[in-house]
Amino acid sequence: MLKHFLGKSPNWYKYTIIGFLIFNIIAYFALGPAITSWIIIAEFIFTLAMALKCYPLISGGLLAIQVLALNLTTPEHSYQEVAQNLEVILLLMFMVAAIYFMKPLLMFIFSKVFTKVKSKMALSLLFVILSAVLSAFLDALTVTAVLISVAVGFYGVYHKIHSSNLDLDHDGTLDRKQLSGETLEQFRSFLRSLIMHGVVGTALGGVMTLVGEPQNLLIGEKMGWDFIEFFKQMDVITIPVFFAGILTTIFLEKSKLFGFGAKLPDVAREIIMNYTILEDEKRTKKEKYSLIVQATAMVLLVIGLGLHLAPVGFIGLALIIIQTAFMGITDEHQLGHAFEEALPFTALLIVFFVIVAMIHDQHLFKPIIEWALAMEASAQPAMFYIANGLLSAISDNVFVATVYINEIQAAFNAGELTREQYEKLAIAINTGTNLPSVATPNGQAAFLFLLTSSLAPLINLSYGKMVKMAFPYAIVLGGVGLLCVMYLL
């Protein structure tokens, strides 16, 4: 049984998970539900950190089943958490699949960018700024899905040449031995740093607008702010933070610290250039037509999300239908592949919401909120920012924002807060949950999506590496954000 339990995961990992499950039962009776809940949160974070040893849906899912069995939360409350976040779930299911059908177009655009832009610094800045702008108007998960698609595509091209006898070597100078070892590691490191710049960009842009992150919508609705008003309320913090983020990118690429700074190996650039030329030469009429359909879908995507014609997931579903209809993809099996990337992560998110329901039912964050609300009015925004930042990094920023905004709304309705103070706290909660939460993959859904995607094992992106690479960004964005909350708000 032990041999098959958790499959190919190392034995120490299997014993650890079994140990957790036994210990939690003892803890529940010996230490009480609240302390056991904190222990389970730590264990759940551990399963996320070990995502490359075993997909967290499995090990984290066992913990979630135990949470329900120990009655630390109920299936009904877990369902309510899922229902509140249905938009995020629909987004994952359908938008990521819609992006799957746009892969050829994304490869077409980005392979041109990769070969035309020679400077790594320019590429890094382009990734950060593009991701930020797109996240501000679309949403961070959609942008991350695009980044993952592109990186998987390029890794695939490199791998294909590396492991086959495809002749992309026009002048006979390409040595296959050159492609493995150090060159492969450098290529991975190059993709790693670009992707990390990109996902940090999604956080920089996501914090600015009403639609950037799921919790922004929630806070905007509670406060009665529209798109423009939300941007104006936040800009005193988000604009300085954005420029600080760009300076951090420049610093990291120049200093080559924290695993950044790797350049695209010349061999890899040659492969991608030759691949682009080869693809352009052998592109059939049908493929050209498909690119036009995908480009039209991309335009519709931007219009649909920019004008909020429907929930994001619905727009994704509409794009799947439009693209498959006009590209002539009518077979169920062809459609199935589009959903392979997103559905395991969607299932993991549901498990995550069980843990969130447990935090809610056990009132784990309540003492922290009461402590922050008991402080002087002038110190409250900074305290809320810090508390939200720390809690977002260990749990999930959407959940933390939901809990906090509900608590301060209750305080405001009870007449304990003035409208001005209420607005300041809402801004502190929004920026606190969005900026310092880049420190760990569990803080931001986009980061967690990247960590559990098919790309992570290809480019050796583990939980530890993500934390290390995000660290300088977390310090700068979190720090500059805090200073702005303290002195400018």
Side-chain angles (χ1 to χ4, degrees):
M1 193 162 131
L2 185 73
K3 188 177 147 199
H4 294 296
F5 177 69
L6 298 186
K8 289 182 180 157
S9 307
N11 276 346
W12 66 263
Y13 184 77
K14 298 179 182 186
Y15 289 128
T16 307
I17 297 297
I18 294 169
F20 284 168
L21 295 170
I22 296 168
F23 178 75
N24 293 343
I25 298 169
I26 300 167
Y28 179 75
F29 292 106
L31 305 171
I35 295 174
T36 307
S37 300
W38 277 111
I39 292 168
I40 290 174
I41 292 173
E43 292 167 352
F44 189 73
I45 291 171
F46 170 81
T47 65
L48 294 175
M50 295 289 148
L52 295 181
K53 298 268 183 281
C54 167
Y55 193 69
L57 170 64
I58 323 301
S59 40
L62 289 170
L63 290 171
I65 292 170
Q66 190 174 45
V67 164
L68 292 169
L70 291 174
N71 207 20
L72 294 170
T73 184
T74 63
E76 291 73 34
H77 287 174
S78 307
Y79 179 76
Q80 281 166 10
E81 283 296 334
V82 172
Q84 276 173 2
N85 288 282
L86 184 63
E87 200 164 323
V88 181
I89 291 160
L90 288 175
L91 181 156
L92 278 167
M93 285 168 66
F94 298 130
M95 189 55 85
V96 177
I99 301 288
Y100 172 86
F101 290 110
M102 293 182 190
K103 251 187 193 158
L105 177 72
L106 294 171
M107 285 299 291
F108 176 74
I109 296 169
F110 277 92
S111 53
K112 297 271 188 280
V113 171
F114 268 54
T115 48
K116 295 278 188 295
V117 181
K118 295 282 196 288
S119 145
K120 172 70 192 300
M121 180 70 79
L123 257 182
S124 301
L125 289 172
L126 184 75
F127 264 64
V128 172
I129 294 166
L130 251 180
S131 299
V133 172
L134 287 172
S135 293
F137 291 102
L138 311 182
D139 69 284
L141 276 169
T142 310
V143 177
T144 309
V146 170
L147 291 173
I148 291 170
S149 278
V150 170
V152 168
F154 281 124
Y155 188 84
V157 172
Y158 188 92
H159 186 69
K160 208 189 287 179
I161 313 297
H162 180 209
S163 58
S164 74
N165 5 345
L166 249 179
D167 188 29
L168 282 194
D169 161 25
H170 295 321
D171 47 5
T173 53
L174 193 61
D175 176 10
R176 286 217 183 285
K177 289 193 193 72
Q178 265 185 301
L179 293 183
S180 35
E182 273 180 35
T183 313
L184 177 62
E185 210 21 75
Q186 191 185 338
F187 182 59
R188 280 176 171 157
S189 181
F190 166 79
L191 283 179
R192 257 200 314 268
S193 60
L194 270 191
I195 288 290
M196 285 303 289
H197 287 315
V199 286
V200 169
T202 66
L204 285 173
V207 65
M208 289 186 180
T209 62
L210 192 61
V211 294
E213 293 272 352
Q215 70 267 32
N216 302 16
L217 252 177
L218 179 94
I219 293 170
E221 272 172 23
K222 298 251 190 246
M223 306 304 295
W225 293 336
D226 61 11
F227 193 89
I228 306 293
E229 174 72 5
F230 187 94
F231 180 76
K232 283 185 179 159
Q233 290 280 3
M234 297 296 157
D235 64 5
V236 60
I237 296 164
T238 54
I239 304 293
V241 166
F242 176 73
F243 287 108
I246 287 182
L247 290 173
T248 311
T249 306
I250 295 171
F251 168 75
L252 288 172
E253 283 300 320
K254 276 261 188 282
S255 67
K256 296 185 168 39
L257 291 171
F258 295 100
F260 289 96
K263 292 185 165 46
L264 179 61
D266 292 335
V267 189
R269 182 188 301 282
E270 193 186 328
I271 286 176
I272 292 170
M273 274 179 84
N274 293 343
Y275 163 80
T276 316
I277 297 163
L278 199 70
E279 284 292 302
D280 288 349
E281 281 170 3
K282 71 180 180 65
R283 190 168 286 114
T284 61
K285 265 192 174 164
K286 183 174 186 262
E287 286 171 335
K288 282 179 187 165
Y289 165 74
S290 293
L291 284 179
I292 295 166
V293 173
Q294 290 158 30
T296 313
M298 191 71 91
V299 173
L300 291 175
L301 171 70
V302 175
I303 294 170
L305 289 172
L307 300 176
H308 301 291
L309 300 179
V312 184
F314 283 18
I315 295 172
L317 182 55
L319 293 180
I320 293 174
I321 296 165
I322 290 168
Q323 289 183 95
T324 50
F326 286 95
M327 293 195 299
I329 297 169
T330 53
D331 183 25
E332 188 187 347
H333 291 293
Q334 283 176 290
L335 277 170
H337 295 302
F339 293 92
E340 283 171 4
E341 178 74 41
L343 280 181
F345 181 68
T346 313
L348 172 63
L349 213 57
I350 307 280
V351 164
F352 197 57
F353 290 137
V354 176
I355 305 292
V356 167
M358 173 191 78
I359 294 174
H360 206 193
D361 283 1
Q362 299 300 324
H363 307 292
L364 299 186
F365 292 170
K366 202 155 179 56
I368 305 170
I369 296 171
E370 284 168 356
W371 169 74
L373 275 174
M375 298 191 114
E376 280 179 39
S378 57
Q380 277 178 5
M383 275 299 116
F384 266 77
Y385 179 89
I386 293 168
N388 275 282
L390 293 173
L391 293 174
S392 292
I394 61 166
S395 63
D396 158 66
N397 57 7
V398 180
F399 165 68
V400 174
T402 310
V403 172
Y404 270 81
I405 199 78
N406 287 340
E407 291 286 338
I408 66 159
Q409 189 184 24
F412 174 67
N413 291 342
E416 292 165 25
L417 294 172
T418 61
R419 173 73 196 182
E420 187 194 1
Q421 185 69 0
Y422 182 35
E423 289 191 351
K424 279 186 179 173
L425 291 182
I427 295 168
I429 289 171
N430 184 58
T431 49
T433 50
N434 273 308
L435 297 170
S437 60
V438 299
T440 65
N442 16 326
Q444 296 257 6
F447 280 55
L448 191 58
F449 184 41
L450 173 62
L451 176 72
T452 57
S453 70
S454 56
L455 174 67
L458 299 180
I459 58 172
N460 289 347
L461 186 61
S462 62
Y463 190 96
K465 266 202 185 114
M466 265 184 109
V467 171
K468 176 188 158 190
M469 292 177 86
F471 178 74
Y473 277 117
I475 295 295
V476 173
L477 306 188
V480 173
L482 180 61
L483 291 172
C484 293
V485 169
M486 285 163 73
Y487 297 110
L488 301 179
L489 194 56

